[in-house]
Amino acid sequence: MSTQARGGPVQQTSSTFIGMPAFPEAAREALDNTQQRKNLRHATHTIRDKRAAVVDELPEWEALRVAGADAKDEALTHLADYLEQLEESLVAQGATVHWARDAVEANRIALEIARAKEVDEVVKVKSMATQEIELNEALEEAGVHAWETDLAELIVQLGHDRPSHILVPAIHRNRNEIREIFLREMAKVGRPAPDDLTQDPARLAEAARLHLREKFLRARVGISGANFAIADTGTLVVVESEGNGRMCLTLPETLISVVGIEKVLPTWDDLAPMMQLLPRSSTGERMNPYTTMWTGAHDGDGPQDVHVILLDNGRSHVLADTVGREALRCIRCSACLNVCPVYERTGGHAYGSVYPGPIGAVLNPQLRGTSSAVDQSLPYASSLCGACFDACPVRINIPELLVELRGRVTEEGHAAESAAMKAAAWVLSDPKRLAGAQRASSLVGRVVGDRTIRSLPGLGAWTSARDVPTPPTESFRQWWARERGDDR
Amino acid sequence: MSAREEILRRVRDATTDVTTSAGATPREPLTGSGAVGADGLTQFVETVEDYRADVVRVGPDGVAVAITAALRERGCGSVVVPEGLEPTWVDAVAEVAEVRRESQTRTHADLDATDGVVTAAALGIAVTGTIVLDHRADQGRRALTLVPDTHVCVVRADQVVQDVPDAVARLRPDAGDARPLTWISGPSATSDIELQRVEGVHGPRNLVVLLVEG
């Protein structure tokens, strides 16, 4: 990937992920969590099967993917023009537009608006951007409680946990854990869970409904992200299932929307491909239950004080990379997570970011730079099987970007990987050395037998996340010589 | 330098390799088709039902009776009606429930204490089973169709379009008078607990679509 000096600075990583172990170490821990692996396998396979079925219904799917990618590319390559147009459209419709260079600035703006309204609580729609900037924590520190209202986000928040999947953030939790969290935590922050709460998902959802409705009805400030921000009309779009989004976007007097600058679509017409691509890729439905579109403030209907915070936070840095910028097309559908054999086994926490899975593996090292161990390791958190590219509704070539990023971190000195590669090159460059290595390997195979090798001296970093196959008791060349040697 | 200027400068610096101007790359224009035929209406009914919403097909004379029946079946004792709702439909509501006018339900608590809502719609989409509200006078402000637990929505056959691009073409906001839009595909639903679909978390748990033909 070309490293240009131009563009903005990388994201300042928050303290949450400083000290986060690199992917191989985190993955090793996650692999031991059999409950999580079972949940994940069930979830990813269910969603991907549903997705495949509804995608198959559309013969023009490939044309839609191209249209989606084209719309995002048009927006990204002329981003300054479309941002200015978006601002103009929003202001004309009565919204207030703010610009935030980084997380600190975005959080400060949101806090100032909440303070001006003299509130000590806000209700929130699930939003990747506000998770990325850790807005809840910033508000909490200033004495403003931010209530997550998506059922899964509520489970994560009440469980003092972190999300593990973009679409179903509490997928690592099972119903009994959720029941315990509700019984233990709901009473501390509002309406308690009913004493006779069972593990039945319908009963658990009912408890969340009652707990949150109290908060919705009194909330004066709502906070959201946006799936799309349309430059030529100034329309913001939020796609959801439960209705909590509609509550947050409708009932409070004041609405604050934190929108990454890459969320811009050039024209209203671009919604046509996007509203087909996103629901089918994300939840495997022809359409999600609820989509809200609002254009500034509308007299007498919904929030009358509408704020939009346009957030950079590393995005302009990614944009400056002419190869890597295609990662900014991402519409956060999570289809790539559900087809990834690595994600399926490790879960989202191992990626050390709110953006897990294949897209996280390319996006995080670009947004945050590659100075930390976790970001150096992420380009290797993939088998490069290509399933994520096939699933991506906007055709982000994730495997190609991962290979490019591997090249970069190796050049920058990802020590274990380059040592292993240098050793392999030395062995492979000379047939005698190769034969010697194979003889040594087959000896190991005879000694070890059928036992799995979990670590090898000298290949520590490599083998700490991979079980090395037991070497065969003889090399292919030895087998050939024994079996077919006479035929030569 | 203000944050606005700095971000725009960063973004311009990041895209100096781009030689085209905005809007210069041709993209497929969006063309919407008209209302659907009989097959499209059947598809609309099937896709709406696929989300476990209830669909009733009626003639123009059957709407009032269908509204009354839908509200009675779901035990709605109080129903909010938008200011511009067809008067005969309001009369139909009054047969089984206490009618609450939109202007009388000023607070969120008023709406929370209301069982149901009856509205018209802006359009329907056959392929996806979606109804769209643009919150004109016969649909009411957004909160009306959000807080009560039962939503009865009347869609005319000539409002049903084939697919998403047709809907997008019809719904383009008017410059200077952009209306909020709510796209609804079935009742409120979640799959957040072990991927088990549960209807009704925060929005209406019952959605009844009355399709008016002829």
Side-chain angles (χ1 to χ4, degrees):
Chain A
M1 243 168 255
S2 61
T3 41
Q4 297 178 22
R6 296 192 302 270
V10 296
Q11 213 171 76
Q12 293 305 303
T13 306
S14 87
S15 54
T16 307
F17 297 115
I18 291 176
M20 179 85 195
F23 184 85
E25 198 183 320
R28 166 66 71 202
E29 276 174 36
L31 285 169
D32 287 338
N33 185 341
T34 48
Q35 176 72 54
Q36 172 173 289
R37 286 179 65 175
K38 196 170 147 240
N39 290 3
L40 279 172
R41 187 181 155 75
H42 172 64
T44 55
H45 282 253
T46 305
I47 302 172
R48 79 203 221 188
D49 290 350
K50 279 177 70 188
R51 177 196 157 275
V54 294
V55 163
D56 280 351
E57 289 179 1
L58 297 187
E60 69 277 23
W61 185 251
E62 273 312 304
L64 279 175
R65 287 177 83 202
V66 170
D70 285 351
K72 292 296 279 193
D73 282 350
E74 169 66 20
L76 291 168
T77 50
H78 307 97
L79 189 57
D81 294 340
Y82 287 118
L83 284 171
E84 285 179 321
Q85 191 186 8
L86 174 68
E87 178 184 47
E88 194 181 325
S89 306
L90 281 166
V91 170
Q93 297 284 344
T96 307
V97 175
H98 310 260
W99 299 73
R101 280 168 276 223
D102 53 30
V104 173
E105 194 163 30
N107 290 339
R108 198 189 66 225
I109 294 165
L111 180 62
E112 277 168 10
I113 299 167
R115 282 223 170 108
K117 301 292 167 186
E118 298 178 334
V119 297
D120 61 3
E121 65 173 4
V122 298
V123 287
K124 283 192 66 225
V125 195
K126 172 175 154 52
S127 142
M128 302 305 294
T130 58
Q131 278 175 25
E132 173 192 313
I133 62 175
E134 300 194 326
L135 176 61
N136 292 8
E137 290 78 358
L139 291 174
E140 201 71 48
E141 206 170 292
V144 177
H145 306 297
W147 308 121
E148 289 292 348
T149 62
D150 171 83
L151 176 56
E153 290 294 347
L154 176 74
I155 296 165
V156 168
Q157 187 176 41
L158 289 177
H160 310 289
D161 196 0
R162 285 206 296 267
S164 60
H165 189 285
I166 291 173
L167 174 71
V168 278
I171 199 61
H172 56 291
R173 296 288 196 184
N174 60 36
R175 60 184 76 187
N176 193 41
E177 291 174 299
I178 294 166
R179 175 178 170 270
E180 282 170 16
I181 290 169
F182 281 8
L183 283 171
R184 191 177 65 234
E185 301 289 336
M186 273 184 175
K188 295 180 192 169
V189 292
R191 180 173 175 147
D195 289 336
D196 61 347
L197 186 65
T198 66
Q199 302 181 15
D200 176 17
R203 290 291 313 279
L204 294 169
E206 171 78 16
R209 178 187 179 95
L210 294 171
H211 178 80
L212 286 171
R213 187 154 285 216
E214 180 183 79
K215 293 186 161 71
F216 284 133
L217 294 178
R218 69 170 184 236
R220 289 167 48 218
V221 174
I223 297 186
S224 81
N227 293 92
F228 307 109
I230 300 159
D232 70 344
T233 60
T235 306
L236 298 188
V237 182
V238 162
V239 171
E240 49 127 5
S241 295
E242 296 174 5
N244 64 304
R246 291 177 66 193
M247 291 278 184
C248 294
L249 299 167
T250 304
L251 299 183
E253 302 145 24
T254 301
L255 175 62
I256 305 167
S257 303
V258 181
V259 182
I261 53 175
E262 86 287 10
K263 292 286 177 182
V264 177
L265 287 179
T267 71
W268 174 261
D269 290 356
D270 292 318
L271 277 179
M274 289 306 179
M275 288 304 295
Q276 295 177 84
L277 290 166
L278 179 54
R280 285 179 200 260
S281 302
S282 182
T283 55
E285 294 170 296
R286 297 185 190 104
M287 189 63 77
N288 50 291
Y290 296 130
T291 298
T292 301
M293 303 184 185
W294 74 103
T295 308
H298 194 76
D299 197 22
D301 189 352
Q304 297 297 295
D305 189 14
V306 173
H307 296 264
V308 179
I309 302 174
L310 296 173
L311 174 74
D312 182 346
N313 205 33
R315 286 158 177 76
S316 58
H317 176 77
V318 182
L319 187 66
D321 191 314
T322 53
V323 180
R325 72 167 58 127
E326 77 174 66
L328 293 177
R329 283 187 208 146
C330 174
I331 55 174
R332 316 282 189 253
C333 71
S334 71
C336 62
L337 277 61
N338 298 325
V339 297
C340 178
V342 177
Y343 175 86
E344 182 186 320
R345 286 160 181 83
T346 63
H349 291 152
Y351 294 80
S353 160
V354 299
Y355 304 114
I359 188 62
V362 293
L363 205 49
N364 296 315
Q366 293 198 79
L367 284 169
R368 305 190 294 209
T370 47
S371 57
S372 73
V374 62
D375 286 312
Q376 283 166 10
S377 69
L378 284 179
Y380 296 92
S382 169
S383 62
L384 298 182
C385 69
C388 48
F389 173 60
D390 292 338
C392 179
V394 286
R395 294 177 55 88
I396 301 170
N397 196 331
I398 296 173
E400 188 178 86
L401 294 180
L402 285 171
V403 170
E404 291 278 345
L405 278 168
R406 286 183 186 189
R408 186 192 289 180
V409 298
T410 307
E411 277 168 26
E412 289 170 359
H414 189 253
E417 202 78 4
S418 43
M421 285 304 158
K422 277 176 193 151
W426 182 80
V427 171
L428 294 171
S429 64
D430 182 333
K432 279 185 201 143
R433 283 184 209 139
L434 177 62
Q438 284 170 333
R439 277 194 300 277
S441 169
S442 62
L443 177 66
V444 173
R446 286 195 293 274
V447 171
V448 174
D450 287 337
R451 280 175 293 158
T452 305
I453 299 176
R454 304 211 66 162
S455 133
L456 276 180
L459 284 175
W462 180 283
T463 55
S464 66
R466 299 167 178 84
D467 291 335
V468 177
T470 310
T473 49
E474 61 183 342
S475 73
F476 175 75
R477 281 160 173 260
Q478 288 167 334
W479 175 87
W480 184 268
R482 180 164 58 77
E483 290 284 318
R484 306 281 168 85
D486 296 344
D487 297 343
R488 282 198 295 188
Chain B
M1 198 187 296
S2 73
R4 178 184 188 279
E5 284 168 29
E6 187 169 338
I7 292 170
L8 288 171
R9 182 190 56 78
R10 288 175 183 176
V11 168
R12 285 195 203 287
D13 284 354
T15 50
T16 49
D17 61 302
V18 178
T19 52
T20 57
S21 53
T25 310
R27 287 186 288 134
E28 285 279 307
L30 184 71
T31 50
S33 58
V36 297
D39 288 351
L41 291 179
T42 301
Q43 186 178 18
F44 176 68
V45 171
E46 285 169 0
T47 50
V48 174
E49 284 177 339
D50 209 28
Y51 295 119
R52 297 182 221 174
D54 297 313
V55 187
V56 184
R57 303 178 79 151
V58 291
D61 299 336
V63 179
V65 173
I67 288 173
T68 308
L71 293 173
R72 183 183 285 130
E73 278 167 31
R74 283 156 195 84
C76 294
S78 56
V79 173
V80 60
V81 294
E83 295 303 333
L85 196 69
E86 160 71 37
T88 57
W89 301 356
V90 179
D91 295 343
V93 173
E95 282 185 35
V96 282
E98 176 204 334
V99 174
R100 296 181 181 171
R101 302 270 169 190
E102 182 175 3
S103 58
Q104 291 165 348
T105 54
R106 288 205 182 81
T107 68
H108 301 335
D110 291 342
L111 283 175
D112 194 38
T114 304
D115 297 329
V117 58
V118 177
T119 71
L123 62 75
I125 307 172
V127 167
T128 61
T130 303
I131 51 174
V132 181
L133 309 180
D134 62 5
H135 303 284
R136 287 175 199 278
D138 58 359
Q139 298 149 57
R141 64 181 199 273
R142 278 180 277 175
L144 256 54
T145 46
L146 172 61
V147 182
D149 215 15
T150 294
H151 179 193
V152 178
C153 183
V154 184
V155 184
R156 295 193 318 269
D158 65 8
Q159 291 178 311
V160 179
V161 299
Q162 185 61 34
D163 206 351
V164 173
D166 306 313
V168 171
R170 276 208 194 181
L171 293 166
R172 170 180 278 282
D174 297 327
D177 180 33
R179 313 197 59 84
L181 299 174
T182 305
W183 295 40
I184 298 171
S185 309
S188 163
T190 184
S191 299
D192 281 339
I193 302 167
E194 297 183 19
L195 283 205
Q196 292 243 325
R197 184 178 164 104
V198 175
E199 261 104 59
V201 199
H202 304 300
R205 283 181 276 204
N206 304 308
L207 174 67
V208 186
V209 176
L210 305 184
L211 177 62
V212 189
E213 296 170 271

